[in-house]
Amino acid sequence: MRAAVCREYGTPQAVRVDDIPAPPLAPAHVRVRVHAAAVNFPDVLIVANRYQISVPVPFVPGSEFAGVVVEVDDAVTDLAVGARVFGSCLYGAFAEEVVVPAASLSLVPDGIDDRHAAVFGVAHRTAYNVLRSVAALMPGEELIVLGAGGGVGLAAVQVGAALGASVTAVASTPEKLAVAAANGAQHLVDHRTRPLRDALRELLPAGGDVVVDPVGGDLSEPALRSLRWGGRFVTVGYASGVIPRIPLNLVLLKGVHVLGFQLIDFLTHRPAELERNERELLQLLAEGRAVPHIGATFGLDDVADALQWVADGRAIGKVALDVAPPFAPG
Ligand SMILES: NC(=O)c1ccc[n+]([C@@H]2O[C@H](COP(=O)([O-])OP(=O)(O)OC[C@H]3O[C@@H](n4cnc5c(N)ncnc54)[C@H](OP(=O)(O)O)[C@@H]3O)[C@@H](O)[C@H]2O)c1
Protein backbone atom coordinates (compact mmCIF):
# COMPACT_ATOMS: atom_id res chain seq x y z
CA MET A 1 0.00 0.00 0.00
CA ARG A 2 1.04 3.66 -0.39
CA ALA A 3 1.77 5.36 2.88
CA ALA A 4 3.59 8.30 4.40
CA VAL A 5 6.58 6.97 6.32
CA CYS A 6 8.73 8.60 8.99
CA ARG A 7 12.08 6.76 8.99
CA GLU A 8 13.91 9.18 11.27
CA TYR A 9 12.64 11.83 13.68
CA GLY A 10 12.81 15.40 12.53
CA THR A 11 10.96 18.13 10.68
CA PRO A 12 7.93 17.35 8.48
CA GLN A 13 10.33 16.95 5.53
CA ALA A 14 11.47 13.71 7.18
CA VAL A 15 8.16 12.14 6.08
CA ARG A 16 8.14 10.51 2.60
CA VAL A 17 5.52 8.57 0.65
CA ASP A 18 6.52 4.97 -0.03
CA ASP A 19 5.12 1.52 -0.93
CA ILE A 20 5.04 -0.64 2.19
CA PRO A 21 3.24 -3.85 3.21
CA ALA A 22 -0.26 -3.35 4.62
CA PRO A 23 -0.50 -4.04 8.38
CA PRO A 24 -1.81 -7.52 9.37
CA LEU A 25 -5.33 -7.86 10.79
CA ALA A 26 -5.42 -8.39 14.58
CA PRO A 27 -8.02 -9.90 16.94
CA ALA A 28 -11.10 -7.67 17.44
CA HIS A 29 -9.70 -5.29 14.79
CA VAL A 30 -10.93 -4.18 11.37
CA ARG A 31 -9.11 -3.03 8.27
CA VAL A 32 -10.23 0.35 6.93
CA ARG A 33 -9.48 1.59 3.45
CA VAL A 34 -8.63 5.20 4.22
CA HIS A 35 -10.15 7.81 1.94
CA ALA A 36 -9.23 10.95 3.87
CA ALA A 37 -7.20 11.81 6.97
CA ALA A 38 -6.73 14.86 9.18
CA VAL A 39 -3.37 16.49 9.83
CA ASN A 40 -3.09 17.43 13.50
CA PHE A 41 -0.55 19.30 15.60
CA PRO A 42 0.38 16.15 17.60
CA ASP A 43 1.36 14.45 14.30
CA VAL A 44 4.07 17.10 13.93
CA LEU A 45 5.21 16.49 17.51
CA ILE A 46 5.29 12.69 17.04
CA VAL A 47 7.40 13.04 13.87
CA ALA A 48 9.81 15.30 15.81
CA ASN A 49 9.79 12.84 18.77
CA ARG A 50 8.59 15.71 20.97
CA TYR A 51 5.22 14.17 21.89
CA GLN A 52 4.47 12.76 25.35
CA ILE A 53 4.49 9.25 23.82
CA SER A 54 7.44 8.19 21.67
CA VAL A 55 6.64 6.10 18.58
CA PRO A 56 9.60 3.96 17.39
CA VAL A 57 10.79 4.62 13.80
CA PRO A 58 9.98 3.65 11.12
CA PHE A 59 6.27 4.39 11.43
CA VAL A 60 3.36 5.79 9.46
CA PRO A 61 2.14 9.06 11.04
CA GLY A 62 -1.49 10.19 11.05
CA SER A 63 -4.01 10.04 13.87
CA GLU A 64 -7.46 10.65 12.32
CA PHE A 65 -9.10 9.11 9.29
CA ALA A 66 -12.34 8.21 7.53
CA GLY A 67 -13.01 5.48 5.00
CA VAL A 68 -14.70 2.17 4.47
CA VAL A 69 -14.33 -1.16 6.30
CA VAL A 70 -12.73 -3.75 3.97
CA GLU A 71 -11.92 -6.63 6.37
CA VAL A 72 -13.27 -7.67 9.76
CA ASP A 73 -11.82 -10.08 12.34
CA ASP A 74 -14.13 -12.99 13.31
CA ALA A 75 -14.53 -11.60 16.83
CA VAL A 76 -16.11 -8.38 15.54
CA THR A 77 -19.90 -8.57 15.43
CA ASP A 78 -21.04 -4.96 15.20
CA LEU A 79 -19.24 -3.78 12.05
CA ALA A 80 -19.48 -5.21 8.54
CA VAL A 81 -17.46 -4.83 5.37
CA GLY A 82 -18.71 -1.77 3.52
CA ALA A 83 -19.51 0.33 6.61
CA ARG A 84 -18.46 3.98 6.36
CA VAL A 85 -16.45 4.79 9.47
CA PHE A 86 -14.22 7.39 11.06
CA GLY A 87 -11.77 7.01 13.88
CA SER A 88 -8.55 8.00 15.55
CA CYS A 89 -5.32 6.27 16.51
CA LEU A 90 -1.90 7.37 17.75
CA TYR A 91 -0.31 6.83 14.32
CA GLY A 92 -0.88 4.92 11.06
CA ALA A 93 -3.63 6.96 9.35
CA PHE A 94 -1.60 8.50 6.48
CA ALA A 95 -1.85 5.23 4.53
CA GLU A 96 -4.21 3.52 2.14
CA GLU A 97 -5.09 1.01 4.87
CA VAL A 98 -5.16 1.18 8.63
CA VAL A 99 -5.93 -1.63 11.11
CA VAL A 100 -7.64 -0.48 14.31
CA PRO A 101 -9.82 -1.92 17.13
CA ALA A 102 -13.44 -2.11 15.95
CA ALA A 103 -14.49 -0.45 19.21
CA SER A 104 -12.53 2.70 18.34
CA LEU A 105 -14.59 3.43 15.23
CA SER A 106 -17.79 5.45 14.74
CA LEU A 107 -20.20 5.27 11.83
CA VAL A 108 -20.18 8.31 9.53
CA PRO A 109 -23.58 10.04 9.77
CA ASP A 110 -25.55 10.31 6.51
CA GLY A 111 -24.77 13.45 4.55
CA ILE A 112 -21.22 13.85 5.92
CA ASP A 113 -18.43 13.31 3.37
CA ASP A 114 -15.12 11.52 4.07
CA ARG A 115 -13.05 14.68 4.47
CA HIS A 116 -15.38 16.19 7.06
CA ALA A 117 -15.71 12.84 8.85
CA ALA A 118 -11.91 12.46 8.94
CA VAL A 119 -11.32 15.84 10.56
CA PHE A 120 -14.22 15.72 13.00
CA GLY A 121 -13.21 13.37 15.80
CA VAL A 122 -10.35 14.84 17.81
CA ALA A 123 -11.02 18.59 17.71
CA HIS A 124 -14.79 18.47 18.10
CA ARG A 125 -14.77 15.73 20.74
CA THR A 126 -12.17 17.71 22.68
CA ALA A 127 -14.13 20.94 22.40
CA TYR A 128 -17.43 19.28 23.29
CA ASN A 129 -16.17 17.37 26.34
CA VAL A 130 -14.27 20.43 27.55
CA LEU A 131 -17.26 22.74 27.31
CA ARG A 132 -20.06 20.36 28.27
CA SER A 133 -18.37 18.43 31.08
CA VAL A 134 -15.15 20.10 32.26
CA ALA A 135 -16.22 23.74 32.10
CA ALA A 136 -19.97 22.93 32.42
CA LEU A 137 -20.70 25.89 30.14
CA MET A 138 -24.21 27.33 30.53
CA PRO A 139 -26.31 29.28 28.02
CA GLY A 140 -25.68 33.01 28.25
CA GLU A 141 -22.18 32.63 29.71
CA GLU A 142 -19.16 34.50 28.33
CA LEU A 143 -16.70 32.06 26.75
CA ILE A 144 -13.18 33.16 25.74
CA VAL A 145 -11.43 30.86 23.22
CA LEU A 146 -7.69 31.16 22.59
CA GLY A 147 -6.29 29.80 19.32
CA ALA A 148 -9.79 30.33 17.94
CA GLY A 149 -8.68 29.85 14.33
CA GLY A 150 -7.11 26.44 15.03
CA GLY A 151 -8.68 22.99 15.05
CA VAL A 152 -9.65 22.76 18.73
CA GLY A 153 -10.23 26.50 19.07
CA LEU A 154 -12.58 26.82 16.11
CA ALA A 155 -14.47 23.72 17.24
CA ALA A 156 -14.81 25.34 20.70
CA VAL A 157 -16.17 28.51 19.06
CA GLN A 158 -18.78 26.48 17.14
CA VAL A 159 -19.75 24.25 20.05
CA GLY A 160 -19.78 27.17 22.52
CA ALA A 161 -22.17 29.07 20.29
CA ALA A 162 -24.32 25.94 19.82
CA LEU A 163 -24.50 25.57 23.63
CA GLY A 164 -25.80 29.13 23.87
CA ALA A 165 -22.71 30.98 25.11
CA SER A 166 -21.49 34.37 23.93
CA VAL A 167 -18.10 33.63 22.39
CA THR A 168 -15.00 35.84 22.29
CA ALA A 169 -12.50 34.50 19.77
CA VAL A 170 -8.78 35.27 20.21
CA ALA A 171 -6.46 34.65 17.25
CA SER A 172 -3.45 36.08 15.45
CA THR A 173 -4.81 37.13 12.04
CA PRO A 174 -7.90 38.84 10.59
CA GLU A 175 -8.39 35.76 8.37
CA LYS A 176 -8.64 33.41 11.35
CA LEU A 177 -10.95 35.81 13.16
CA ALA A 178 -13.24 36.11 10.13
CA VAL A 179 -13.67 32.33 10.10
CA ALA A 180 -14.33 32.37 13.86
CA ALA A 181 -17.01 35.03 13.33
CA ALA A 182 -18.62 32.94 10.57
CA ASN A 183 -18.71 30.04 13.04
CA GLY A 184 -20.52 31.92 15.80
CA ALA A 185 -18.01 34.19 17.62
CA GLN A 186 -19.55 37.49 18.69
CA HIS A 187 -16.37 39.28 19.82
CA LEU A 188 -13.02 39.11 18.03
CA VAL A 189 -9.56 39.87 19.42
CA ASP A 190 -6.40 39.97 17.33
CA HIS A 191 -3.74 39.46 20.00
CA ARG A 192 -1.00 40.60 17.62
CA THR A 193 -2.40 44.12 17.36
CA ARG A 194 -3.11 44.92 21.04
CA PRO A 195 -2.51 43.50 24.53
CA LEU A 196 -4.98 40.69 25.21
CA ARG A 197 -5.77 41.88 28.76
CA ASP A 198 -6.75 45.38 27.53
CA ALA A 199 -8.92 44.04 24.73
CA LEU A 200 -10.74 41.58 27.02
CA ARG A 201 -11.26 44.19 29.75
CA GLU A 202 -12.91 46.45 27.20
CA LEU A 203 -15.10 43.74 25.63
CA LEU A 204 -16.06 41.97 28.86
CA PRO A 205 -16.00 44.53 31.68
CA ALA A 206 -17.62 42.05 34.10
CA GLY A 207 -15.10 39.34 33.13
CA GLY A 208 -15.42 36.06 31.26
CA ASP A 209 -17.00 32.90 32.71
CA VAL A 210 -14.84 30.31 30.91
CA VAL A 211 -11.49 30.30 29.09
CA VAL A 212 -10.54 27.44 26.75
CA ASP A 213 -6.78 27.44 26.15
CA PRO A 214 -5.21 25.12 23.54
CA VAL A 215 -2.24 27.50 23.02
CA GLY A 216 -0.45 28.25 26.31
CA GLY A 217 2.56 30.60 26.22
CA ASP A 218 2.08 34.32 26.81
CA LEU A 219 -1.69 34.32 26.23
CA SER A 220 -2.70 32.13 29.17
CA GLU A 221 -2.06 34.55 32.03
CA PRO A 222 -3.85 37.60 30.57
CA ALA A 223 -6.78 35.33 29.64
CA LEU A 224 -6.96 33.94 33.19
CA ARG A 225 -6.78 37.50 34.58
CA SER A 226 -9.80 38.34 32.41
CA LEU A 227 -12.09 35.85 34.18
CA ARG A 228 -14.69 37.03 36.66
CA TRP A 229 -14.46 35.84 40.28
CA GLY A 230 -15.15 32.06 40.27
CA GLY A 231 -14.61 31.63 36.52
CA ARG A 232 -13.22 28.43 34.95
CA PHE A 233 -9.95 28.15 33.02
CA VAL A 234 -9.47 24.94 31.02
CA THR A 235 -5.96 24.11 29.82
CA VAL A 236 -6.16 21.85 26.76
CA GLY A 237 -2.80 22.09 24.99
CA TYR A 238 0.36 24.09 24.33
CA ALA A 239 0.47 24.78 20.59
CA SER A 240 2.77 27.74 21.28
CA GLY A 241 5.38 25.26 22.49
CA VAL A 242 5.48 26.98 25.90
CA ILE A 243 3.84 25.61 29.04
CA PRO A 244 2.86 28.72 31.01
CA ARG A 245 3.58 29.24 34.73
CA ILE A 246 0.65 31.01 36.35
CA PRO A 247 1.21 32.87 39.67
CA LEU A 248 -0.93 30.95 42.18
CA ASN A 249 -2.00 34.14 43.96
CA LEU A 250 -4.16 34.91 40.90
CA VAL A 251 -6.10 31.70 41.53
CA LEU A 252 -6.53 32.69 45.18
CA LEU A 253 -7.50 36.29 44.53
CA LYS A 254 -9.95 35.51 41.72
CA GLY A 255 -11.29 32.24 43.14
CA VAL A 256 -10.91 30.71 39.67
CA HIS A 257 -11.04 27.01 38.93
CA VAL A 258 -8.09 25.82 36.83
CA LEU A 259 -9.05 22.60 35.08
CA GLY A 260 -7.34 20.22 32.67
CA PHE A 261 -8.62 17.92 29.96
CA GLN A 262 -7.30 14.85 28.16
CA LEU A 263 -9.65 12.76 26.04
CA ILE A 264 -8.01 9.54 27.19
CA ASP A 265 -8.82 10.31 30.85
CA PHE A 266 -12.50 10.55 30.00
CA LEU A 267 -12.34 7.11 28.34
CA THR A 268 -10.96 5.71 31.60
CA HIS A 269 -12.69 7.75 34.29
CA ARG A 270 -15.93 9.17 32.87
CA PRO A 271 -17.11 6.67 30.21
CA ALA A 272 -20.85 7.26 30.72
CA GLU A 273 -20.43 11.01 30.32
CA LEU A 274 -18.25 10.48 27.27
CA GLU A 275 -20.99 8.34 25.72
CA ARG A 276 -23.69 10.95 26.43
CA ASN A 277 -21.47 13.71 25.03
CA GLU A 278 -20.75 11.63 21.92
CA ARG A 279 -24.48 11.20 21.25
CA GLU A 280 -25.15 14.90 21.70
CA LEU A 281 -22.18 15.91 19.54
CA LEU A 282 -23.10 13.56 16.67
CA GLN A 283 -26.60 15.06 16.81
CA LEU A 284 -25.10 18.55 16.41
CA LEU A 285 -23.01 17.26 13.48
CA ALA A 286 -26.06 15.70 11.81
CA GLU A 287 -27.98 18.98 12.30
CA GLY A 288 -25.17 20.92 10.62
CA ARG A 289 -24.38 22.86 13.83
CA ALA A 290 -20.92 21.35 14.43
CA VAL A 291 -19.52 20.77 10.95
CA PRO A 292 -15.73 21.22 10.93
CA HIS A 293 -14.23 23.99 8.83
CA ILE A 294 -11.55 22.65 6.46
CA GLY A 295 -9.14 25.48 5.75
CA ALA A 296 -6.73 23.51 3.52
CA THR A 297 -6.62 20.16 1.72
CA PHE A 298 -3.46 18.35 0.53
CA GLY A 299 -2.90 15.12 -1.40
CA LEU A 300 -0.99 12.20 0.15
CA ASP A 301 2.08 13.03 -1.99
CA ASP A 302 2.21 16.46 -0.34
CA VAL A 303 2.01 15.12 3.21
CA ALA A 304 5.25 16.86 4.28
CA ASP A 305 3.86 20.23 3.16
CA ALA A 306 0.62 19.49 5.01
CA LEU A 307 2.52 18.76 8.23
CA GLN A 308 4.61 21.91 7.74
CA TRP A 309 1.43 23.97 7.23
CA VAL A 310 0.19 22.80 10.61
CA ALA A 311 3.62 23.17 12.27
CA ASP A 312 3.74 26.81 11.13
CA GLY A 313 0.37 27.58 12.75
CA ARG A 314 -1.13 28.40 9.34
CA ALA A 315 -4.05 26.00 9.61
CA ILE A 316 -7.46 27.60 9.79
CA GLY A 317 -9.83 25.08 11.31
CA LYS A 318 -8.75 21.66 10.11
CA VAL A 319 -6.31 20.41 7.48
CA ALA A 320 -7.45 17.43 5.39
CA LEU A 321 -5.28 14.90 3.55
CA ASP A 322 -6.80 13.10 0.56
CA VAL A 323 -5.41 9.55 0.72
CA ALA A 324 -7.40 7.52 -1.82
CA PRO A 325 -10.53 8.34 -3.82
CA PRO A 326 -13.39 9.00 -3.21
CA PHE A 327 -12.64 11.80 -0.73
CA ALA A 328 -15.83 13.80 -1.04
CA PRO A 329 -18.75 13.53 -1.21
CA GLY A 330 -18.90 10.18 0.59
N1 LIG B 1 -6.05 17.69 25.73
C1 LIG B 1 -6.49 17.02 24.66
O1 LIG B 1 -7.16 15.98 24.78
C2 LIG B 1 -6.17 17.56 23.31
C3 LIG B 1 -6.91 17.17 22.19
C4 LIG B 1 -6.62 17.75 20.96
C5 LIG B 1 -5.57 18.65 20.85
N2 LIG B 1 -4.84 18.99 21.95
C6 LIG B 1 -3.74 19.96 21.88
O2 LIG B 1 -4.28 21.25 21.67
C7 LIG B 1 -3.33 22.04 20.96
C8 LIG B 1 -4.01 22.72 19.79
O3 LIG B 1 -4.41 21.75 18.85
P1 LIG B 1 -5.10 22.21 17.48
O4 LIG B 1 -5.47 20.96 16.77
O5 LIG B 1 -6.11 23.24 17.75
O6 LIG B 1 -3.85 22.89 16.76
P2 LIG B 1 -3.86 23.93 15.53
O7 LIG B 1 -5.03 23.69 14.67
O8 LIG B 1 -2.51 23.88 14.95
O9 LIG B 1 -4.10 25.33 16.26
C9 LIG B 1 -3.23 25.80 17.23
C10 LIG B 1 -3.33 27.32 17.36
O10 LIG B 1 -2.34 27.72 18.31
C11 LIG B 1 -1.81 28.98 17.97
N3 LIG B 1 -0.35 29.01 18.02
C12 LIG B 1 0.39 29.88 18.75
N4 LIG B 1 1.68 29.65 18.61
C13 LIG B 1 1.81 28.63 17.76
C14 LIG B 1 2.92 27.95 17.21
N5 LIG B 1 4.18 28.28 17.56
N6 LIG B 1 2.70 26.94 16.36
C15 LIG B 1 1.44 26.56 16.04
N7 LIG B 1 0.31 27.16 16.54
C16 LIG B 1 0.52 28.20 17.37
C17 LIG B 1 -2.32 29.32 16.58
O11 LIG B 1 -3.29 30.32 16.78
P3 LIG B 1 -2.98 31.85 16.54
O12 LIG B 1 -2.11 31.95 15.32
O13 LIG B 1 -4.30 32.45 16.30
O14 LIG B 1 -2.33 32.35 17.79
C18 LIG B 1 -3.01 28.05 16.08
O15 LIG B 1 -4.20 28.37 15.37
C19 LIG B 1 -2.18 21.11 20.58
O16 LIG B 1 -1.13 21.32 21.52
C20 LIG B 1 -2.77 19.73 20.73
O17 LIG B 1 -1.78 18.79 21.06
C21 LIG B 1 -5.13 18.47 23.16
Side-chain angles (χ1 to χ4, degrees):
M1 65 173 186
R2 295 184 76 239
V5 185
C6 176
R7 297 193 185 278
E8 54 186 49
Y9 301 121
T11 66
Q13 303 310 321
V15 179
R16 303 269 162 74
V17 176
D18 214 342
D19 271 314
I20 60 169
L25 195 64
H29 282 53
V30 303
R31 183 185 305 283
V32 177
R33 178 169 171 76
V34 177
H35 292 160
V39 185
N40 286 303
F41 198 81
D43 303 329
V44 176
L45 297 179
I46 291 172
V47 165
N49 201 21
R50 288 198 293 119
Y51 193 61
Q52 60 243 39
I53 302 167
S54 186
V55 179
V57 287
F59 69 95
V60 173
S63 49
E64 273 192 295
F65 59 89
V68 65
V69 173
V70 290
E71 191 181 1
V72 176
D73 177 64
D74 290 344
V76 176
T77 52
D78 53 353
L79 267 180
V81 168
R84 291 186 63 224
V85 291
F86 68 102
S88 56
C89 46
L90 181 60
Y91 61 94
F94 297 164
E96 286 176 336
E97 291 185 3
V98 65
V99 170
V100 289
S104 70
L105 294 170
S106 305
L107 292 174
V108 178
D110 288 344
I112 304 296
D113 65 49
D114 291 316
R115 279 187 196 139
H116 285 89
V119 303
F120 177 74
V122 173
H124 275 76
R125 281 184 180 126
T126 300
Y128 199 80
N129 284 288
V130 161
L131 293 176
R132 178 78 162 93
S133 289
V134 182
L137 184 72
M138 299 303 288
E141 286 197 312
E142 294 290 349
L143 167 66
I144 299 165
V145 179
L146 306 184
V152 172
L154 194 55
V157 168
Q158 256 185 11
V159 167
L163 292 175
S166 161
V167 182
T168 299
V170 179
S172 62
T173 67
E175 249 184 307
K176 289 183 178 182
L177 289 168
V179 175
N183 281 275
Q186 291 173 16
H187 303 301
L188 308 174
V189 177
D190 184 337
H191 65 82
R192 290 265 161 89
T193 59
R194 62 181 305 205
L196 180 59
R197 180 76 185 99
D198 294 352
L200 290 176
R201 192 186 278 125
E202 197 177 292
L203 286 168
L204 308 171
D209 295 290
V210 172
V211 168
V212 171
D213 180 8
V215 182
D218 293 341
L219 297 180
S220 304
E221 186 176 326
L224 187 142
R225 285 178 184 274
S226 306
L227 283 169
R228 66 163 172 80
W229 191 90
R232 291 92 81 201
F233 182 100
V234 191
T235 177
V236 181
Y238 311 99
S240 65
V242 179
I243 299 173
R245 291 168 183 268
I246 303 287
L248 265 187
N249 66 319
L250 282 183
V251 177
L252 180 151
L253 290 170
K254 298 189 71 77
V256 293
H257 302 261
V258 178
L259 304 156
F261 172 79
Q262 284 203 103
L263 202 48
I264 191 146
D265 292 338
F266 262 51
L267 281 168
T268 314
H269 301 294
R270 293 163 83 166
E273 219 168 326
L274 189 69
E275 213 178 297
R276 178 204 65 190
N277 291 352
E278 184 75 7
R279 268 197 314 276
E280 292 177 355
L281 178 60
L282 286 176
Q283 182 65 30
L284 285 181
L285 174 68
E287 289 168 4
R289 296 167 72 204
V291 178
H293 174 88
I294 298 177
T297 301
F298 294 79
L300 180 61
D301 287 331
D302 297 322
V303 62
D305 293 344
L307 285 161
Q308 193 64 57
W309 190 263
V310 170
D312 292 343
R314 296 175 71 187
I316 301 185
K318 300 293 299 182
V319 173
L321 191 75
D322 287 346
V323 177
F327 322 111

